[in-house]
Amino acid sequence: MAISRSIDHLNTMLGRAVGWLILLTTLVSAYNATVRKIFDISSNGLLEIQWYFFGAVFLVGAAYTLQQNAHVRIDVLSNRFSESTRAWIDIAGHVLFTLPLIGFVLVSGWDFAYQSFQINEYSADPGGLIRWPAKALIVLGFALLGLQVCSEIIKKIAVIKGHSTTCQ
């Protein structure tokens, strides 16, 4: 459970931190729209940083969402099962579907981000931003999600064994 608590703590801290990017994204968006309307100028860099922030919220925040059990779930069906049965279903889903998908994204995402880093890829748009940090967020987000899936599996095993799962 100590490993699970550590992973949960990491993803809680990061999840709460990226929540602030929503405010920052809104401010950048409002600034860009205001400058465009008043002065008739725009910045591709500002548009792209909005996309980067928005992507970071979802990619880095996905692990926190899973940890908080705030993801989409079919509660109508799952509420009919015992806690132990739900734990087995969650473990099976994570092992058969979530972890293989995360593995695929990590392997292909690493190459995607690394190639971008190697060539110092920039946006094709004038004034656009460097691309590899946004691509690296894919790898970071899925790595954090993979860790959180492992934490959830640890907690589900504890449920099946009848142990406490208080990890926060």
Side-chain angles (χ1 to χ4, degrees):
M1 292 304 291
I3 292 170
S4 179
R5 279 191 295 275
S6 296
I7 294 168
D8 286 356
H9 178 72
L10 171 66
N11 282 322
T12 296
M13 300 304 289
L14 291 172
R16 290 178 179 165
V18 297
W20 287 100
L21 287 179
I22 296 169
L23 174 61
L24 190 55
T25 302
T26 304
L27 294 173
V28 170
S29 178
Y31 171 80
N32 200 30
T34 303
V35 169
R36 187 175 60 245
K37 289 293 183 188
I38 294 173
F39 300 110
D40 198 30
I41 58 173
S42 185
S43 165
N44 285 329
L46 287 176
L47 288 172
E48 290 181 11
I49 199 70
Q50 288 172 228
W51 301 336
Y52 288 15
F53 289 162
F54 194 66
V57 167
F58 284 93
L59 289 165
V60 177
Y64 180 64
T65 302
L66 177 62
Q67 179 207 34
Q68 297 298 309
N69 200 24
H71 57 289
V72 176
R73 181 181 288 269
I74 305 173
D75 291 333
V76 175
L77 296 176
S78 67
N79 286 340
R80 295 180 182 185
F81 301 125
S82 69
E83 189 176 13
S84 179
T85 301
R86 284 194 308 265
W88 276 111
I89 291 169
D90 285 345
I91 291 170
H94 287 319
V95 170
L96 296 175
F97 300 107
T98 312
L99 286 176
L101 172 67
I102 290 169
F104 173 77
V105 173
L106 285 175
V107 169
S108 56
W110 176 262
D111 290 338
F112 185 60
Y114 185 68
Q115 288 172 5
S116 181
F117 175 78
Q118 280 186 310
I119 63 170
N120 202 30
E121 180 183 11
Y122 271 80
S123 169
D125 297 318
L129 302 177
I130 192 166
R131 287 280 166 98
W132 70 262
K135 293 179 178 184
L137 276 173
I138 297 168
V139 177
L140 175 64
F142 275 85
L144 292 169
L145 183 59
L147 285 173
Q148 191 60 47
V149 166
C150 292
S151 174
E152 297 305 310
I153 290 171
I154 291 167
K155 289 183 276 190
K156 300 304 177 187
I157 291 170
V159 166
I160 292 166
K161 289 184 173 185
H163 300 296
S164 172
T165 61
T166 305
C167 289
Q168 297 175 352

